[in-house]
Amino acid sequence: HKYNIDEIGRIRKRSTYSTSYISLSCLYDACRMNWLSTFDLPKLVVSLENTEVYSCKYKSNNIVVVIGESFSKHHSSLYGYPLSTNPLLEKENNLYVFNDAITTDGLTSLVMKNLFSFRDKENNIYWAESTLFPAIFKKAGYNCTFISNQEVEESNPSDVYDMANGYLVSPLTKHLLWNVTNEKKCQYDMQLIDDFATLKDSVGPYSLTVFHLIGQHTAYEDRYPRDKAFFTKEDYEYRTDLTDYQKSVVAHFDNAIRYGDEVLNRILDLYRNDDTIVIFFSDHGEEMYDCRNFAGRSHEPIITSNTAKYVYEVPFFIWMSDEYKRTHQNVVNSVDKSLYKPFVLDDLPHLLLDLAGIECENYDSAYSILNDKYFRKRRLIG
């Protein structure tokens, strides 16, 4: 079959934005998207099986990637938000905050396909015909772990493909990507990290660990325990443009971010005595009555300047343990020089391969923000 490589994404956005849920056009979109998606998993399996690695220098012993969810850069005190939403991270001396990172889409499923594969907005590669970076790390000899509060293997037939991120834990692909995955989701992210802590020391040397959190995904009030509530609507008296209800929504969102601050601090605590580098970013941001009477993501067909700011600009930071900084001064220097460089999330695989010292046909040093050859200046989104 032949179809534009972005067709599934366009259909998903169109169906998400549509207010007419029962119509012939929506039914057609659903059927076509389901049909197109059935081709992806077999293609991906072939791509993963054909993954090749030329060499690996194991430049970093432990690489940790933390993928947040709906975490707004503009509601983070790390980026100047007036309320203290990230008090623990603000105290981290080994935290390096990047100032010009953007995501590729406003839908998690589309972002994940771009950042795990070597597809980007310019190269015209279909994501399922590209290998995924965990397959490269696994082939290179890294122990790969995936701990997710969004994707777990379901008791479905092995050839079932969901249009979100089920390909990451499908029985057909999981053994090609990961050595370890979690079997169940948790109500709160902290429970997920506590469960991982019991098996962390068994992952072995040269490890790649990827966390995918539920973060601040709507409904915001469900993303933190009640005893972790810190903000109330009274904290937003300065937002005279908001109703009491809207102030409560913002308070729930900010409470979820502050709880997420504890979750991230817990992850860092697990690696403080190890030779580890941690990369954190959010898949996308979220509007929170920041510029109009709207909260969430609207998936409008035309990306406005405000949508680009509040949804596509994302928090991105790197943390290094004391031991990692001691033994990787070159990385410290590169991070220092890169804090204000433009970065797009779909270049993540190149950054990770650079940190590990993996050479393969997919790697391009010009796409790794920490590499001296980095020259990316594009800002293609949507």
Side-chain angles (χ1 to χ4, degrees):
H1 73 292
K2 295 181 180 180
Y3 60 93
N4 184 288
I5 60 176
D6 286 320
E7 183 174 357
I8 294 178
R10 289 202 309 271
I11 294 174
R12 287 211 70 193
K13 287 183 178 180
R14 184 165 66 240
S15 61
T16 303
Y17 177 66
S18 174
T19 57
S20 176
Y21 294 103
I22 303 175
S23 68
L24 289 177
S25 61
C26 286
L27 179 61
Y28 170 81
D29 280 350
C31 292
R32 181 159 179 79
M33 184 165 58
N34 186 65
W35 178 76
L36 291 174
S37 298
T38 61
F39 294 91
D40 286 349
L41 196 56
K43 285 185 177 183
L44 181 60
V45 171
V46 172
S47 300
L48 297 179
E49 290 177 338
N50 291 334
T51 298
E52 293 186 6
V53 172
Y54 302 150
S55 64
C56 182
K57 298 178 181 177
Y58 303 103
K59 287 161 51 177
S60 296
N61 287 348
N62 300 304
I63 300 174
V64 177
V65 178
V66 184
I67 305 171
E69 170 68 54
S70 305
F71 179 5
S72 171
K73 168 183 178 179
H74 302 284
H75 280 250
S76 168
S77 52
L78 288 169
Y79 288 93
Y81 187 59
L83 301 183
S84 182
T85 51
N86 292 118
L88 298 177
L89 291 181
E90 285 185 89
K91 296 177 183 178
E92 289 290 340
N93 294 326
N94 294 346
L95 189 74
Y96 297 81
V97 179
F98 287 68
N99 288 271
D100 192 14
I102 62 172
T103 187
T104 56
D105 281 284
L107 278 173
T108 299
S109 58
L110 302 185
V111 174
M112 295 285 279
K113 289 179 175 66
N114 283 338
L115 69 87
F116 270 88
S117 73
F118 288 82
R119 155 149 169 74
D120 63 38
K121 291 291 183 178
E122 294 176 340
N123 63 19
N124 211 36
I125 296 173
Y126 190 55
W127 76 274
E129 295 174 343
S130 159
T131 189
L132 307 185
F133 72 78
I136 296 176
F137 273 82
K138 195 168 187 291
K139 181 81 70 165
Y142 273 77
N143 192 293
C144 298
T145 300
F146 185 52
I147 304 297
S148 175
N149 219 5
Q150 297 203 41
E151 304 89 8
V152 293
E153 184 178 342
E154 304 289 350
S155 56
N156 291 327
S158 61
D159 61 346
V160 167
Y161 171 87
D162 69 34
M163 284 165 283
N165 306 310
Y167 59 90
L168 290 172
V169 291
S170 164
L172 294 178
T173 60
K174 190 168 71 168
H175 66 288
L176 298 168
L177 295 169
W178 315 107
N179 299 93
V180 177
T181 61
N182 58 306
E183 296 180 353
K184 63 182 179 67
K185 293 184 277 190
C186 299
Q187 182 177 5
Y188 302 115
D189 282 334
M190 189 69 81
Q191 298 167 326
L192 188 79
I193 307 308
D194 288 342
D195 288 346
F196 167 75
T198 63
L199 57 87
K200 169 186 170 288
D201 292 336
S202 65
V203 299
Y206 307 122
S207 67
L208 169 73
T209 304
V210 179
F211 296 97
H212 188 197
L213 306 178
I214 195 65
Q216 290 74 51
H217 194 291
T218 184
Y220 315 124
E221 63 270 21
D222 295 335
R223 300 303 167 219
Y224 63 95
R226 292 286 74 80
D227 63 349
K228 294 297 182 179
F230 184 83
F231 302 109
T232 66
K233 64 181 181 181
E234 281 70 31
D235 292 298
Y236 302 88
E237 292 303 321
Y238 69 99
R239 292 293 307 272
T240 56
D241 56 315
L242 300 182
T243 66
D244 283 349
Y245 169 77
Q246 291 170 335
K247 291 175 184 178
S248 296
V249 173
V250 178
H252 284 309
F253 185 70
D254 288 352
N255 280 328
I257 292 178
R258 190 176 170 101
Y259 175 68
D261 190 63
E262 294 186 23
V263 173
L264 292 174
N265 185 71
R266 173 76 167 117
I267 293 174
L268 300 186
D269 283 345
L270 294 175
Y271 294 99
R272 292 192 190 278
N273 297 322
D274 299 337
D275 185 5
T276 302
I277 183 168
V278 178
I279 297 98
F280 172 87
F281 54 88
S282 183
D283 57 349
H284 51 71
E286 199 97 339
E287 286 191 59
M288 199 50 52
Y289 307 113
D290 299 292
C291 59
R292 58 176 174 166
N293 185 23
F294 179 78
R297 284 165 288 131
S298 60
H299 305 294
E300 294 158 314
I302 298 177
I303 300 173
T304 66
S305 59
N306 283 326
T307 299
K309 177 178 180 179
Y310 292 106
V311 176
Y312 284 80
E313 291 183 9
V314 293
F316 182 87
F317 43 83
I318 289 177
W319 177 89
M320 292 171 274
S321 67
D322 289 337
E323 178 63 16
Y324 190 92
K325 291 179 69 173
R326 186 184 69 80
T327 57
H328 297 82
Q329 188 58 49
N330 60 322
V331 177
V332 177
N333 294 338
S334 296
V335 170
D336 268 331
K337 292 188 298 183
S338 303
L339 296 179
Y340 291 90
K341 292 180 182 178
F343 180 71
V344 187
L345 291 187
D346 57 15
D347 285 341
L348 176 73
H350 303 281
L351 165 61
L352 298 178
L353 294 175
D354 200 355
L355 288 171
I358 296 175
E359 292 288 340
C360 61
E361 66 174 341
N362 311 91
Y363 169 67
D364 190 333
S365 59
Y367 295 172
S368 169
I369 192 172
L370 299 186
N371 198 288
D372 290 338
K373 297 179 181 179
Y374 181 74
F375 71 90
R376 302 287 256 182
K377 299 191 182 298
R378 61 186 174 81
R379 305 287 287 178
L380 298 181
I381 59 177

mmCIF file of all heavy atoms in Angstrom, residues 10 36 43 48 96 112 120 153 162 177 185 201 204 288 295 318 337 367:
data_model
loop_
_atom_site.group_PDB
_atom_site.id
_atom_site.type_symbol
_atom_site.label_atom_id
_atom_site.label_comp_id
_atom_site.label_asym_id
_atom_site.label_seq_id
_atom_site.Cartn_x
_atom_site.Cartn_y
_atom_site.Cartn_z
ATOM 1 N N ARG A 10 -2.134 12.870 10.843
ATOM 2 C CA ARG A 10 -3.123 13.880 10.468
ATOM 3 C C ARG A 10 -4.537 13.417 10.817
ATOM 4 O O ARG A 10 -5.363 14.194 11.286
ATOM 5 C CB ARG A 10 -3.019 14.191 8.974
ATOM 6 C CG ARG A 10 -1.768 14.968 8.592
ATOM 7 C CD ARG A 10 -1.987 15.684 7.265
ATOM 8 N NE ARG A 10 -2.494 14.783 6.247
ATOM 9 C CZ ARG A 10 -1.722 14.052 5.433
ATOM 10 N NH1 ARG A 10 -0.400 14.113 5.561
ATOM 11 N NH2 ARG A 10 -2.262 13.267 4.509
ATOM 12 N N LEU A 36 -4.440 1.372 8.213
ATOM 13 C CA LEU A 36 -3.063 1.790 7.987
ATOM 14 C C LEU A 36 -2.141 1.293 9.091
ATOM 15 O O LEU A 36 -1.009 0.881 8.842
ATOM 16 C CB LEU A 36 -2.992 3.317 7.900
ATOM 17 C CG LEU A 36 -3.628 3.980 6.678
ATOM 18 C CD1 LEU A 36 -3.589 5.489 6.824
ATOM 19 C CD2 LEU A 36 -2.930 3.551 5.397
ATOM 20 N N LYS A 43 6.346 -4.061 9.887
ATOM 21 C CA LYS A 43 7.474 -3.281 9.378
ATOM 22 C C LYS A 43 8.482 -3.006 10.485
ATOM 23 O O LYS A 43 9.696 -3.092 10.276
ATOM 24 C CB LYS A 43 6.972 -1.948 8.795
ATOM 25 C CG LYS A 43 6.292 -2.053 7.451
ATOM 26 C CD LYS A 43 5.956 -0.670 6.933
ATOM 27 C CE LYS A 43 5.346 -0.743 5.546
ATOM 28 N NZ LYS A 43 5.083 0.605 4.983
ATOM 29 N N LEU A 48 13.694 -3.670 13.489
ATOM 30 C CA LEU A 48 14.405 -3.981 14.728
ATOM 31 C C LEU A 48 15.325 -5.193 14.552
ATOM 32 O O LEU A 48 16.455 -5.206 15.063
ATOM 33 C CB LEU A 48 13.398 -4.245 15.851
ATOM 34 C CG LEU A 48 12.492 -3.075 16.251
ATOM 35 C CD1 LEU A 48 11.533 -3.496 17.360
ATOM 36 C CD2 LEU A 48 13.300 -1.867 16.683
ATOM 37 N N TYR A 96 21.249 20.833 34.909
ATOM 38 C CA TYR A 96 21.520 21.787 33.838
ATOM 39 C C TYR A 96 20.232 21.965 33.027
ATOM 40 O O TYR A 96 19.751 21.026 32.395
ATOM 41 C CB TYR A 96 22.656 21.287 32.952
ATOM 42 C CG TYR A 96 23.970 21.155 33.690
ATOM 43 C CD1 TYR A 96 24.236 20.032 34.490
ATOM 44 C CD2 TYR A 96 24.929 22.158 33.610
ATOM 45 C CE1 TYR A 96 25.432 19.918 35.184
ATOM 46 C CE2 TYR A 96 26.131 22.044 34.298
ATOM 47 C CZ TYR A 96 26.376 20.929 35.074
ATOM 48 O OH TYR A 96 27.566 20.818 35.768
ATOM 49 N N MET A 112 6.190 10.188 20.615
ATOM 50 C CA MET A 112 6.954 8.995 20.973
ATOM 51 C C MET A 112 7.522 8.310 19.737
ATOM 52 O O MET A 112 8.658 7.807 19.754
ATOM 53 C CB MET A 112 6.076 8.033 21.766
ATOM 54 C CG MET A 112 5.634 8.559 23.117
ATOM 55 S SD MET A 112 6.924 8.548 24.373
ATOM 56 C CE MET A 112 6.863 6.829 24.881
ATOM 57 N N ASP A 120 12.446 12.272 11.550
ATOM 58 C CA ASP A 120 12.238 13.633 12.005
ATOM 59 C C ASP A 120 11.402 14.366 10.966
ATOM 60 O O ASP A 120 10.933 13.766 9.994
ATOM 61 C CB ASP A 120 13.558 14.355 12.319
ATOM 62 C CG ASP A 120 14.454 14.509 11.099
ATOM 63 O OD1 ASP A 120 13.932 14.767 9.999
ATOM 64 O OD2 ASP A 120 15.683 14.401 11.251
ATOM 65 N N GLU A 153 2.438 -4.425 28.733
ATOM 66 C CA GLU A 153 1.971 -5.474 27.840
ATOM 67 C C GLU A 153 0.604 -5.980 28.310
ATOM 68 O O GLU A 153 0.410 -6.350 29.462
ATOM 69 C CB GLU A 153 2.959 -6.632 27.814
ATOM 70 C CG GLU A 153 2.576 -7.727 26.831
ATOM 71 C CD GLU A 153 3.602 -8.847 26.804
ATOM 72 O OE1 GLU A 153 4.738 -8.628 27.262
ATOM 73 O OE2 GLU A 153 3.261 -9.944 26.337
ATOM 74 N N ASP A 162 -1.863 -1.222 18.902
ATOM 75 C CA ASP A 162 -2.694 -0.080 19.246
ATOM 76 C C ASP A 162 -2.065 1.172 18.635
ATOM 77 O O ASP A 162 -0.890 1.191 18.306
ATOM 78 C CB ASP A 162 -2.885 0.052 20.763
ATOM 79 C CG ASP A 162 -1.626 0.455 21.509
ATOM 80 O OD1 ASP A 162 -0.828 1.223 20.968
ATOM 81 O OD2 ASP A 162 -1.445 -0.013 22.649
ATOM 82 N N LEU A 177 13.874 -4.932 22.184
ATOM 83 C CA LEU A 177 14.059 -3.593 22.734
ATOM 84 C C LEU A 177 14.556 -3.585 24.172
ATOM 85 O O LEU A 177 15.397 -2.747 24.536
ATOM 86 C CB LEU A 177 12.734 -2.815 22.673
ATOM 87 C CG LEU A 177 12.165 -2.502 21.296
ATOM 88 C CD1 LEU A 177 10.733 -1.979 21.416
ATOM 89 C CD2 LEU A 177 13.042 -1.485 20.576
ATOM 90 N N LYS A 185 0.762 -0.898 35.764
ATOM 91 C CA LYS A 185 0.788 0.547 35.997
ATOM 92 C C LYS A 185 0.382 0.835 37.441
ATOM 93 O O LYS A 185 -0.201 -0.015 38.105
ATOM 94 C CB LYS A 185 -0.156 1.241 35.019
ATOM 95 C CG LYS A 185 0.297 1.165 33.571
ATOM 96 C CD LYS A 185 -0.601 1.942 32.637
ATOM 97 C CE LYS A 185 -1.819 1.164 32.234
ATOM 98 N NZ LYS A 185 -2.593 1.821 31.143
ATOM 99 N N ASP A 201 19.272 -2.555 41.221
ATOM 100 C CA ASP A 201 20.634 -3.067 41.320
ATOM 101 C C ASP A 201 20.865 -4.354 40.542
ATOM 102 O O ASP A 201 21.992 -4.823 40.440
ATOM 103 C CB ASP A 201 21.002 -3.283 42.794
ATOM 104 C CG ASP A 201 21.106 -1.976 43.559
ATOM 105 O OD1 ASP A 201 21.346 -0.936 42.917
ATOM 106 O OD2 ASP A 201 20.924 -1.991 44.786
ATOM 107 N N GLY A 204 22.534 -4.572 36.062
ATOM 108 C CA GLY A 204 23.863 -4.834 35.538
ATOM 109 C C GLY A 204 24.562 -3.581 35.036
ATOM 110 O O GLY A 204 23.974 -2.503 34.949
ATOM 111 N N MET A 288 -2.920 26.290 30.071
ATOM 112 C CA MET A 288 -3.565 26.325 31.369
ATOM 113 C C MET A 288 -4.110 27.730 31.614
ATOM 114 O O MET A 288 -3.691 28.433 32.528
ATOM 115 C CB MET A 288 -2.550 25.926 32.458
ATOM 116 C CG MET A 288 -3.160 25.483 33.774
ATOM 117 S SD MET A 288 -4.461 24.246 33.628
ATOM 118 C CE MET A 288 -3.659 22.990 32.628
ATOM 119 N N ALA A 295 -8.034 25.256 28.796
ATOM 120 C CA ALA A 295 -7.024 24.433 29.477
ATOM 121 C C ALA A 295 -6.929 23.101 28.754
ATOM 122 O O ALA A 295 -7.940 22.490 28.410
ATOM 123 C CB ALA A 295 -7.396 24.214 30.943
ATOM 124 N N ILE A 318 19.326 18.157 31.997
ATOM 125 C CA ILE A 318 20.244 17.041 32.195
ATOM 126 C C ILE A 318 20.812 17.126 33.603
ATOM 127 O O ILE A 318 21.189 18.211 34.070
ATOM 128 C CB ILE A 318 21.379 17.070 31.152
ATOM 129 C CG1 ILE A 318 20.831 16.711 29.761
ATOM 130 C CG2 ILE A 318 22.510 16.115 31.537
ATOM 131 C CD1 ILE A 318 21.862 16.786 28.644
ATOM 132 N N LYS A 337 28.050 24.438 27.327
ATOM 133 C CA LYS A 337 28.079 25.215 26.093
ATOM 134 C C LYS A 337 26.782 25.099 25.290
ATOM 135 O O LYS A 337 26.579 25.847 24.325
ATOM 136 C CB LYS A 337 29.251 24.761 25.215
ATOM 137 C CG LYS A 337 30.620 25.083 25.782
ATOM 138 C CD LYS A 337 31.718 24.794 24.782
ATOM 139 C CE LYS A 337 31.776 23.329 24.385
ATOM 140 N NZ LYS A 337 32.915 23.048 23.458
ATOM 141 N N TYR A 367 23.448 15.876 14.674
ATOM 142 C CA TYR A 367 22.139 15.944 15.304
ATOM 143 C C TYR A 367 22.213 15.771 16.827
ATOM 144 O O TYR A 367 21.178 15.761 17.490
ATOM 145 C CB TYR A 367 21.202 14.890 14.732
ATOM 146 C CG TYR A 367 20.854 15.070 13.273
ATOM 147 C CD1 TYR A 367 20.151 14.102 12.584
ATOM 148 C CD2 TYR A 367 21.234 16.217 12.578
ATOM 149 C CE1 TYR A 367 19.824 14.260 11.237
ATOM 150 C CE2 TYR A 367 20.920 16.385 11.239
ATOM 151 C CZ TYR A 367 20.217 15.408 10.571
ATOM 152 O OH TYR A 367 19.895 15.567 9.245
#
